[in-house]
Amino acid sequence: MSRNLWIIVALAIVIIIGGFLILSARQTPPTTPAPTPIQATATPAVIEKNILLSEQNKSGVSGSAVLREENGKVNVTLSLTGGPKTTPQPAHIHVGACPDVGDVKYPLTNVVDGQSQTTLDVTLSQLETEQPLAINVHKSAAQITVYTACGNLTP
């Protein structure tokens, strides 16, 4: 081979290798950024307990209580049927069990037209340590000793 041919072959090889390197650099896949970690946010736990309130003293009053813990407090919602529409009925969480409850442990908002809602500064686990407890509804403030509905807060 002549010297000029060797130069042409060498230049061709350099051009081919250089072209290959340029093309491979252009075809390098783009780098993918690392995924951003998902931040877990703590949501306050909501715990609910349903209590059946049974009729007492042939009152015709019965219903339910929902104790819902949220943010370290318990919301007590009473829903009753068969009671008076306009006469407020006192309600409490008493020490003891139905039907023979003892002293009032937590007063609740009076039941009016079958409804009552109260927020207690206590947790459900604290209530469980204070057992036995019961929710008791009275006929009226004037007849506080007459119980119309009662339900035990059993653990």
Side-chain angles (χ1 to χ4, degrees):
M1 267 206 226
S2 74
R3 183 179 158 147
N4 288 340
L5 185 58
W6 277 108
I7 293 174
I8 293 172
V9 170
L11 283 173
I13 291 173
V14 168
I15 291 171
I16 291 172
I17 291 173
F20 176 78
L21 291 175
I22 290 170
L23 287 176
S24 66
R26 286 185 183 171
Q27 294 176 357
T28 303
T31 57
T32 305
T36 305
I38 297 172
Q39 294 288 332
T41 55
T43 55
V46 176
I47 306 167
E48 235 179 54
K49 185 174 186 121
N50 295 306
I51 309 294
L52 177 65
L53 299 176
S54 300
E55 174 185 11
Q56 300 290 302
N57 299 311
K58 299 180 185 177
S59 66
V61 177
S62 63
S64 64
V66 176
L67 282 71
R68 180 181 172 107
E69 181 181 329
E70 197 166 3
N71 298 321
K73 296 184 181 209
V74 173
N75 294 312
V76 180
T77 303
L78 304 180
S79 298
L80 300 169
T81 58
K85 294 275 185 199
T86 57
T87 303
Q89 293 179 270
H92 310 98
I93 296 178
H94 288 262
V95 175
C98 299
D100 300 316
V101 295
D103 292 337
V104 172
K105 182 73 176 180
Y106 300 100
L108 301 175
T109 303
N110 288 346
V111 177
V112 177
D113 195 18
Q115 301 297 311
S116 168
Q117 185 158 351
T118 307
T119 299
L120 301 175
D121 195 14
V122 65
T123 64
L124 283 175
S125 62
Q126 286 171 299
L127 288 176
E128 288 180 7
T129 64
E130 298 172 350
Q131 294 293 330
L133 295 172
I135 294 177
N136 197 30
V137 180
H138 305 265
K139 186 170 184 177
S140 67
Q143 294 179 299
I144 198 79
T145 59
V146 179
Y147 303 155
T148 60
C150 194
N152 293 322
L153 274 72
T154 54

